[in-house]
């Protein structure tokens, strides 16, 4: 397995020339790096005008490894080849390092770059990337990898300290300024091997744009103290998102939450974050705070709200659960509205964390929740109410990890253990550790509420003096309940009527939809997200109508949804090229990718959009595996592949201009507005974002 490292941008508030002078003082050896035993120059060359200097060194490293391992390997030191390319004209230094020892067993590479700060030419930026691939090492591959990563992480942490140490040395020597390089006359050329072409020795590092980079000071200020390897994981995941998701990317704090939740497992974090972004897009969560109006009944009877901050500066949310008529709220509003309310609370919490980070000048990326359980009774054990609570937990766990800093539950009644037994298996273990439960009046006095919330902000109903502007709750009048007919017609769609549809694809059972085209030159458009597994996407045309289950049609364009059983539209007796034809090249869509495309129809007839299973996806376990039928209704089956798609047909007269003007465009997790319907100004595409 290849281990990779990507540093944040480290900024030195000193000119480039002074930083390079400080860097060069570490050679031939540096007392601040005990493992760096020695180095010798094996090659040195300079361009004719003196602007480019290339130095190659052989460096000796005394790795901190068990003596037995060194004896088995038959070595005392490791040797690396370091190539430094200094471009005085461009003011850059590129450092490339490769291992010489065990190069047939281990591939270790590093690339560092010193450059001028893009916004202040008196400052210097530093970046580094590295990779390690231990192919074989006498049966000790895992140990060798751990030792190497530990040693590398230690040297990274010392990097800035070493530069600062040598800057101080230069200052003591009276060197406070070094002039920039200027072209010299031929007589001023420094002797040595000349470089004929500057380009031969000008090495570049492939990096993202300046806007994509994270500054080390920014990470410390807004995200907290991370280890070098944690910083690397954050930066790599952030870059992957920016490359894959050309549209709006999640904020750095939110990305970090997924990494923390998975103990900085890059692949697992990427998978979970990808699924969450798909969910956010499907339900237009990014627009929720601006577009959703809470029903008046929620405003009157939902006894919860934000209330100042805790002692750590975290936003404080108070929920008087015992005073809330969950059964009445569901009878009047449906489970979907309560789920939407929970999502809105979490979105508001994210916003408040950002505000508090700016206000207090330190990273605040989670909040505290205080739950008043006084009044909790058997009415709260109503099965649909528990089902709604478990569903809310599932949504929050999947999409808002590490947002809860602490949960204080006060005045727990005797029935609380029963409810906790039902709910706790669904809550992540790390989240459960943040729960503090107080019975009766145990929360009063030392060790109680005052340890977490300033006395001035303790609500009046908990014995404090602070007025709390939260509804008292109470029973919802039965006159506000929905009618029996309305309850019967209620469906289980999440949050809103999404413009997207979801489908599951099994091996050997493709998912197909039928579109009937009456007029040639109509345009079939689609927007596809692959949330799990890899799929193949095909478009077929047939003059014959496939045998399909009877469904209602929409206008002249019939869309037939085949449900979870995925019946075949393409008759097995049909012959490709005779009974039907492939009209678009097969498109391969990988897990986490989005595809937006269009097809200009050449003939009227029947078009079949088909998604097929392509490769075995990573298995994902459902968290819903407990508590009899209450939880069984929430079980999520594991499918081979899952997609989310939106498709529409544009009539030819609705497309303005020439058909040849339809150009391809790239995007990832495409952002369609709440009321999106592709209009006459729409552009068609046929691309996949990676």
């Amino acid at each position: 397995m290849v281990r990779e490292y990507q540093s944040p941008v480290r900024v030195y508030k000193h000119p480039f020339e002074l930083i390079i002078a400080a860097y060069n003082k570490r050679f031939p050896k540096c007392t601040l790096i005990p493992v760096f035993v020695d180095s010798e120059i094996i090659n040195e060359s300079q361009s004719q005008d003196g602007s480019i200097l290339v130095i190659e060194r052989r460096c000796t490293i005394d790795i901190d490894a068990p003596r037995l391992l060194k004896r088995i390997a038959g070595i005392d030191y490791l040797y690396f080849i370091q190539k430094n390319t200094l471009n005085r004209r461009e003011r850059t230094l590129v450092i490339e390092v490769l291992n010489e020892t065990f190069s047939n067993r281990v591939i270790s590479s590093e690339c560092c770059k010193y450059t001028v700060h893009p916004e202040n030419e008196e400052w210097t930026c530093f970046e580094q990337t590295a990779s390690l691939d231990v192919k074989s090492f006498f049966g000790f591959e895992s140990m060798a990898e751990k030792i190497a990563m530990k040693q590398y992480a230690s040297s990274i942490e010392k990097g800035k300290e070493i530069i600062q140490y040598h800057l101080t040395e230069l200052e003591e020597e009276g060197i406070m300024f070094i002039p920039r390089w200027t072209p010299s006359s031929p007589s001023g050329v420094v002797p040595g091997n000349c470089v004929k072409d500057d380009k031969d020795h000008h090495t570049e590092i492939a990096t993202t744009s300046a806007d994509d980079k994270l500054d080390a000071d920014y990470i410390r200020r807004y995200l907290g103290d991370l280890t070098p390897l944690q910083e690397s994981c954050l930066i790599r995941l952030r870059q992957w998102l920016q490359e894959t998701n050309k549209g709006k990317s999640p904020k750095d704090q939110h990305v970090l939450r997924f990494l923390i939740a998975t103990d900085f497992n890059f692949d697992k974090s990427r998978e979970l974050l990808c699924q969450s972004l798909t969910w956010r897009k499907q339900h237009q969560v990014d627009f929720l705070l601006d577009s959703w109006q809470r029903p008046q009944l929620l405003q009157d009877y939902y006894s919860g709200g934000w209330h100042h901050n805790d002692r750590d500066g975290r936003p404080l949310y108070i929920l008087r659960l015992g005073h809330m008529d969950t059964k009445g709220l569901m009878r009047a509003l449906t489970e979907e509205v309560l789920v939407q309310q929970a999502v809105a609370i979490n979105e508001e919490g994210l916003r408040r964390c950002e505000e508090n980070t700016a206000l207090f000048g330190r990273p605040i990326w989670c909040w505290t929740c205080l739950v008043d359980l006084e009044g909790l009774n058997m009415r709260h054990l109503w099965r649909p109410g528990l089902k709604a609570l478990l569903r809310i937990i599932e949504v929050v766990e999947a999409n808002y990890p590490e947002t809860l800093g602490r949960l204080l539950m006060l005045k727990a009644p005797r029935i609380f253990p029963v409810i906790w037994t039902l709910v706790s298996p669904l809550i992540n273990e790390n989240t459960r550790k943040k729960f503090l439960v107080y019975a009766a009046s145990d929360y009063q006095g030392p060790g109680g509420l005052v340890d977490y919330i300033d006395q001035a902000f303790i609500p009046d109903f908990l014995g404090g003096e602070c007025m709390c502007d939260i509804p008292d709750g109470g029973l919802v009048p039965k006159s506000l309940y929905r009618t029996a007919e309305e309850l019967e017609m209620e469906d289980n769609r999440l949050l809103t009527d999404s413009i997207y549809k979801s489908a599951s694809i099994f091996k050997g059972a493709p998912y197909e939809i039928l579109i009937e085209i009456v007029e040639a030159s109509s345009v079939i458009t689609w927007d596809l997200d692959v949330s799990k597994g890899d799929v193949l996407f095909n478009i077929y045309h047939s003059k014959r109508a496939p045998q399909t289950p009877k469904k209602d049609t929409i206008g002249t364009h019939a869309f037939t949804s085949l449900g979870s059983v995925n019946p075949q539209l393409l008759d097995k007796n049909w012959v490709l090229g005779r009974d039907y034809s492939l009209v678009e090249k097969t498109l391969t869509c990988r897990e986490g990718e989005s595809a937006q495309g269009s097809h200009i129809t050449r003939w009227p007839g029947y078009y079949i959009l088909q998604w097929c299973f392509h490769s075995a996806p990573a298995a994902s376990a459902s968290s819903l595996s407990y508590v009899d039928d209450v939880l069984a209704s929430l079980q999520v089956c594991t499918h081979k592949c899952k997609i989310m798609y939106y498709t529409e047909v544009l009539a030819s007269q609705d497309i303005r201009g020439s058909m040849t003007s339809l150009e391809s465009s790239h995007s990832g997790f495409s952002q369609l507005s709440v009321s999106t319907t592709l209009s006459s100004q729409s552009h068609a595409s046929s691309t996949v974002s990676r």
Side-chain angles (χ1 to χ4, degrees), residues 61-250:
I61 305 297
D62 183 10
I63 198 74
D64 184 15
R67 187 174 184 82
L68 177 61
L69 185 61
K70 287 186 176 182
R71 291 185 63 182
I72 293 174
I75 54 98
D76 290 321
Y77 300 107
L78 299 179
Y79 297 94
F80 290 81
I81 301 300
Q82 182 191 75
K83 178 183 176 181
N84 291 0
T85 304
L86 174 63
N87 189 322
R88 298 185 177 99
R89 186 192 304 275
E90 300 294 334
R91 302 178 78 196
T92 63
L93 172 64
V94 177
I95 306 163
E96 299 167 286
V97 183
L98 290 172
N99 63 302
E100 182 182 73
T101 308
F102 299 125
S103 58
N104 60 333
R105 295 176 178 271
V106 179
I107 300 176
S108 174
S109 64
E110 180 184 32
C111 192
C112 308
K113 190 173 185 180
Y114 287 92
T115 58
V116 177
H117 194 285
E119 297 177 1
N120 188 335
E121 59 181 22
E122 294 301 317
W123 292 357
T124 306
C125 296
F126 172 79
E127 297 175 78
Q128 67 187 121
T129 59
S131 65
L132 174 67
D133 185 8
V134 182
K135 298 182 179 296
S136 65
F137 201 78
F138 312 103
F140 294 92
E141 291 79 16
S142 179
M143 179 184 292
E145 182 180 284
K146 289 180 180 178
I147 292 173
M149 294 303 295
K150 180 181 178 181
Q151 196 73 58
Y152 191 70
S154 176
S155 65
I156 291 170
E157 291 178 336
K158 289 184 177 180
K160 192 169 185 177
E161 174 189 338
I162 293 169
I163 289 291
Q164 192 59 52
Y165 174 82
H166 290 307
L167 284 172
T168 303
E169 279 191 337
L170 290 172
E171 184 177 347
E172 291 173 352
E173 295 170 7
I175 302 175
M176 306 288 291
F177 172 77
I178 297 177
R180 297 182 188 179
W181 177 88
T182 55
S184 59
S185 61
S187 59
V189 174
V190 178
N193 298 325
C194 293
V195 180
K196 295 182 179 179
D197 190 348
D198 289 358
K199 295 182 180 179
D200 293 342
H201 289 274
H202 184 69
T203 307
E204 294 184 354
I205 300 177
T207 60
T208 54
S209 65
D211 292 338
D212 296 339
K213 297 178 182 179
L214 284 183
D215 183 284
D217 292 335
Y218 164 85
I219 292 177
R220 191 162 44 254
R221 166 69 172 79
Y222 292 100
L223 304 179
D225 293 323
L226 305 178
T227 68
L229 297 183
Q230 289 173 344
E231 289 178 340
S232 171
C233 206
L234 170 64
I235 293 167
R236 288 168 52 214
L237 182 54
R238 189 175 182 268
Q239 288 178 348
W240 179 85
L241 287 169
Q242 289 166 339
E243 293 168 0
T244 305
N245 180 11
K246 301 297 184 182
K248 182 179 179 181
S249 295

Side-chain angles (χ1 to χ4, degrees), residues 594-654:
S594 294
Q596 298 77 40
S598 62
H599 173 73
I600 303 172
T601 61
R602 296 179 60 186
W603 316 279
Y606 301 90
Y607 288 79
I608 299 169
L609 276 60
Q610 181 193 74
W611 292 271
C612 300
F613 168 84
H614 181 49
S615 63
S620 63
S622 170
S623 62
L624 304 180
S625 56
Y626 295 84
V627 196
D628 303 322
D629 56 339
V630 177
L631 307 183
S633 62
L634 297 178
Q635 294 287 346
V636 181
C637 298
T638 301
H639 301 289
K640 288 296 182 181
C641 300
K642 291 183 180 180
I643 63 171
M644 184 176 74
Y645 70 93
Y646 168 77
T647 184
E648 185 178 15
V649 176
L650 306 179
S652 59
Q653 64 267 23
D654 293 334

Side-chain angles (χ1 to χ4, degrees), residues 452-473:
Y452 306 103
I453 302 174
D454 192 285
Q455 183 69 46
F457 296 143
I458 294 179
D460 52 352
F461 60 84
L462 293 176
E465 299 179 356
C466 186
M467 296 299 296
C468 189
D469 187 20
I470 292 176
D472 293 330

